[in-house]
Amino acid sequence: MRMPKKERQRLLGKLLKQNPFLTDEELSEHFTVSVQTIRLDRLEHGIPELRERLKTVATRTMKEEVKSLHSDEVFGDIIDMELDERALSIFDVTEDHVFQRNGIARGHHLFAQANSLAVAVMNDDLALTAKSAIDFLKPVKAGDRVVARAEVKKESLGEKRTLVVVVSTVNDETVFTGEFHMYRTTDRKQGEMK
Amino acid sequence: MRMPKKERQRLLGKLLKQNPFLTDEELSEHFTVSVQTIRLDRLEHGIPELRERLKTVATRTMKEEVKSLHSDEVFGDIIDMELDERALSIFDVTEDHVFQRNGIARGHHLFAQANSLAVAVMNDDLALTAKSAIDFLKPVKAGDRVVARAEVKKESLGEKRTLVVVVSTVNDETVFTGEFHMYRTTDRKQGEMK
DNA sequence: CTGTTATTAGTACCAAGTGCTAATCCGGAA
DNA sequence: TTCCGGATTAGCACTTGGTACTAATAACAG
């Protein structure tokens, strides 16, 4: 016996997790056992066949593609918005957004939500963030629903600058605040928005 | 004839791009033609069979998964690091990171790179960002390589606070600066890191 | 030496195809 | 009308990567 059965099956599972593209035949060569043995191993461990494995991997892709398109363009879902006045978005924190070690959301996700909202609330096709000061007041955990409220301040900061203040809360507790100095470009001369 | 050949083939391509999981048989029902006709259509347009389509989609996933694991845990690749002293990371800006309308990188990506680096450079398992002030000095475009340099400042901000200053450049021009007030948790009493 | 477990072999069958040949259908030109 | 050609359909053999099942053999433990 080239290797104890248990060991082989453990490695088999690990191998297929890394690389789901291997056929039973390739696996049988890798472990120098017969194809039938591999089949029995898969059977015992409920590991599906190649084609099923590919199907689930491919499905995952298709889903994430849709998700990432949305969550990239505006990070967090905008619920309500009055241009140049105020806006509100929610962002559900999942396992993907937190540090594995302590389950606390990475700061840049909260920033991304607030920043996206600040960009969106500006009544300007090409608003950019110029400067920002932010505070992380309380740690946010997976499962939390973060509500961000952006308010456009009217006091002037100069010709093309606008101040947007964002306050993010979880269950009415403030977890994050940010001031965003937005730069309006408004050069609509060179073409309407697309 | 239920539909001109050309039209059907155009739709076929479009359909399969959206949903690569359809078999020839399902397609033949959808267009109310025979399976053979679908096969001929695929042949003429060089559209591979179901199993090949899934394989390529799945491949794409696996690649991106590797990428996103890295780029999420630490946004940008860390090139050099001296714990508690300084660190350096690079981040290549792609089409995915910019506003479609003007090709300028969204602020939160630059923030994410700097923030991740600030977290990483702290010699602490559980460092968190408490507060930050940042400046976006010059727009960053797709194709730019952003180099972020983080430096841990030694002056005390209080018991558990540390200041990290990050400067990001593109071709030696500063595009972003940020001050990060990091919170050290260091409660290693409750167990070693995993 | 015998029983049990592990492994291998072999067969029939399936899904979703490819590749090829042959038969039909259908519309327009001679 | 009749004939031609492209489009469509049918049919068959073969391929991959399996499942499901049975049977034989090997390996080892008591």
Side-chain angles (χ1 to χ4, degrees), chain B residues 88-193:
Chain B
L88 197 148
S89 84
I90 61 171
F91 162 48
D92 289 313
V93 179
T94 70
E95 294 299 332
D96 296 341
H97 305 109
V98 305
F99 291 105
Q100 288 150 338
R101 291 161 294 187
N102 54 15
I104 295 176
R106 281 173 241 282
H108 57 256
H109 290 126
L110 291 179
F111 178 83
Q113 179 189 19
N115 183 57
S116 293
L117 193 62
V119 170
V121 75
M122 296 286 296
N123 191 4
D124 191 309
D125 292 346
L126 304 159
L128 294 175
T129 310
K131 191 182 162 82
S132 171
I134 57 194
D135 282 279
F136 296 93
L137 303 172
K138 258 183 74 74
V140 173
K141 307 259 179 178
D144 287 351
R145 165 163 291 186
V146 183
V147 178
R149 286 181 184 74
E151 196 178 336
V152 179
K153 296 293 182 185
K154 289 304 179 187
E155 61 263 35
S156 180
L157 295 169
E159 180 59 46
K160 285 160 158 280
R161 300 284 183 119
T162 305
L163 176 64
V164 177
V165 172
V166 179
V167 176
S168 298
T169 58
V170 171
N171 295 326
D172 288 328
E173 254 191 315
T174 301
V175 295
F176 169 97
T177 63
E179 289 188 359
F180 295 84
H181 294 239
M182 308 305 291
Y183 180 76
R184 276 180 277 109
T185 49
T186 334
D187 46 336
R188 298 182 202 222
K189 333 147 198 171
Q190 65 185 33
E192 290 308 301
M193 69 158 125

Side-chain angles (χ1 to χ4, degrees), chain A residues 55-106:
Chain A
K55 211 182 286 177
T56 59
V57 173
T59 308
R60 214 167 52 213
T61 318
M62 299 304 283
K63 276 195 203 145
E64 299 207 346
E65 236 148 65
V66 173
K67 205 171 69 184
S68 75
L69 264 175
H70 284 256
S71 65
D72 188 47
E73 193 55 36
V74 174
F75 206 94
D77 300 314
I78 292 182
I79 298 304
D80 186 39
M81 176 148 72
E82 240 175 290
L83 280 175
D84 267 339
E85 291 286 342
R86 77 198 93 260
L88 197 148
S89 84
I90 61 170
F91 161 48
D92 288 313
V93 179
T94 71
E95 293 299 331
D96 296 341
H97 305 109
V98 304
F99 290 106
Q100 288 149 338
R101 289 160 295 187
N102 53 15
I104 295 175
R106 283 173 240 281

